Amino acid sequence: MAYLGIAVFIAGVLFLFTTSSGANHAKGMRKGRSELIPPELYDFLEEADDAYILTHQTAEISSFSKYASNSVCNEVLEGIYKKPAKMFGTKNYRDRTWTVIDRQEDEIVLRKEIAHRSIKVKKGIRLTLGDHMIELWTVSLHSRGYLIEEVLEMQAWN
């Protein structure tokens, strides 16, 4: 009986540790964020990429159009209809990172990388639910905020 009490105590401590460290992680350094990226730009990129993924899943550009120029929106829609579908998997297993490649006075080029953690299907078999992707995003700074000017797909491994 004492062993059961100790096991419950340890499980409770582990639960508190994992939930409190997750909360601190969300408040502090955000996962996938480079120190060179201002928080406002990082938030813009995350929101824009969520809309970008939604556009690929629904073939509806309206959610992404408020983040990107008309030419980028046209290229994205054209790519959706001409290329094989991108597999973005499930958000819980998707890891997205942003890295600054080049910074000008009114423009910044970022490398976006999406990788997916594999899940266990059955003993000895693990699968990823999405494609590994690398893109270069060119974002301009205007008086009214940020605007995506270009999205270039790079070769990625799966």
Side-chain angles (χ1 to χ4, degrees), residues 10-66:
I10 291 172
V13 169
L14 288 174
F15 175 77
L16 289 173
F17 176 75
T18 56
T19 55
S20 67
S21 66
N24 290 339
H25 178 73
K27 290 179 187 173
M29 176 65 175
R30 296 179 187 159
K31 187 175 185 177
R33 182 177 158 261
S34 167
E35 283 299 316
L36 301 174
I37 300 175
E40 309 83 39
L41 175 58
Y42 179 80
D43 292 341
F44 170 84
L45 292 168
E46 291 289 299
E47 290 173 14
D49 195 46
D50 288 343
Y52 179 77
I53 291 169
L54 183 62
T55 295
H56 278 82
Q57 293 171 340
T58 63
E60 171 58 47
I61 197 71
S62 62
S63 61
F64 184 63
S65 64
K66 58 184 162 190

Side-chain angles (χ1 to χ4, degrees), residues 55-56 58-61 73-86:
T55 295
H56 278 82
T58 63
E60 171 58 47
I61 197 71
C73 291
N74 290 337
E75 289 173 15
V76 167
L77 278 179
E78 188 175 314
I80 289 171
Y81 290 113
K82 289 188 176 183
K83 298 177 186 173
K86 292 182 179 184

